[in-house]
Structure formats: structure tokens, C-alpha cells
Amino acid sequence: MIALATEVAAKKTSSEEETWSDQSLLIFKENWKGIYSQFEAFTQEVAAKDSQASTAVKEAYEAAVAVVEPYFQSGQTAAKPYSFLNATQRGEITQASYRLRDTLVKAGEILQLT
């Protein structure tokens, strides 16, 4: 989970392949959904030790999805082409993925996994 969240932020948002495939926003969104689906198995255990940490992961996931949501249209799977986004918009996506990663690191520390 942590590695994928880092990969989205550190590599996928800046790679040539991701930029020009123009499916990147969908890829990012689906990566985050996958990350959060894996975290859900730990939600109760993290919450039992630190409810704010568990909530922080959920909020970071929701915030990440919210960053890309404006680029999707109802009834369509694909989003606006990633190559059309400017540096500020790409930076917001990168930061959202790092925030998700950071909350996962904290949850891992709480569970003594990292």
C-alpha cells in the first residue's frame, strides 16, 4: 500500500508513459481504490489503537479521489486526458498521493509494521 501510494506520487505522475497514455487519471484513481481496499482490513485494528489515524487514512483516500474527480464525466470510465493537465494540477495529484502514503505510514507504525 505504502509503496504503491509512493509510486503514484513519485513516478506515475511524471513518467512519459503515464503522461501520454492519457489514461493516467483513471490509473491513479484505481490505484488509490486498490490501496484503500487493502487498508480496510486493518481499519478496526488501527482505530482501536488510534481512531484519528484510521480516520486520517480514509480522509486522505477520499481527498485523493476528490482531486481527480473533476476530470471525470458522469457515465464515462475515462477521464480528461492527463496530458491536458498543467503543472499545478499534476502537483495537486502528487501531493494527494503523498498524503495518502503518509497516513498509511502512520497506520503502519501504530500496528508496528514499519
Side-chain angles (χ1 to χ4, degrees):
M1 290 179 282
I2 292 166
L4 183 54
T6 302
E7 183 180 329
V8 170
K11 292 171 56 179
K12 291 186 177 188
T13 59
S14 62
S15 79
E16 181 179 343
E17 178 183 330
E18 295 295 334
T19 299
W20 302 110
S21 75
D22 278 336
Q23 295 301 311
S24 299
L25 296 172
L26 177 63
I27 292 166
F28 303 156
K29 184 177 177 181
E30 293 302 315
N31 282 176
W32 294 327
K33 284 170 57 177
I35 290 166
Y36 191 72
S37 74
Q38 296 301 301
F39 175 75
E40 286 180 309
F42 300 94
T43 301
Q44 291 181 359
E45 190 174 350
V46 173
K49 296 180 180 203
D50 185 335
S51 63
Q52 287 183 322
S54 181
T55 300
V57 173
K58 182 177 182 181
E59 289 174 350
Y61 161 70
E62 291 171 347
V65 172
V67 166
V68 298
E69 203 58 44
Y71 306 114
F72 287 84
Q73 292 182 349
S74 180
Q76 292 186 336
T77 303
K80 179 178 182 175
Y82 186 66
S83 61
F84 289 19
L85 273 62
N86 63 39
T88 300
Q89 293 165 319
R90 292 178 186 193
E92 291 168 351
I93 293 167
T94 300
Q95 291 305 314
S97 203
Y98 277 133
R99 280 191 299 275
L100 177 57
R101 189 265 327 258
D102 292 348
T103 62
L104 290 166
V105 168
K106 170 92 170 152
E109 290 169 352
I110 289 165
L111 297 179
Q112 299 178 338
L113 299 174
T114 59

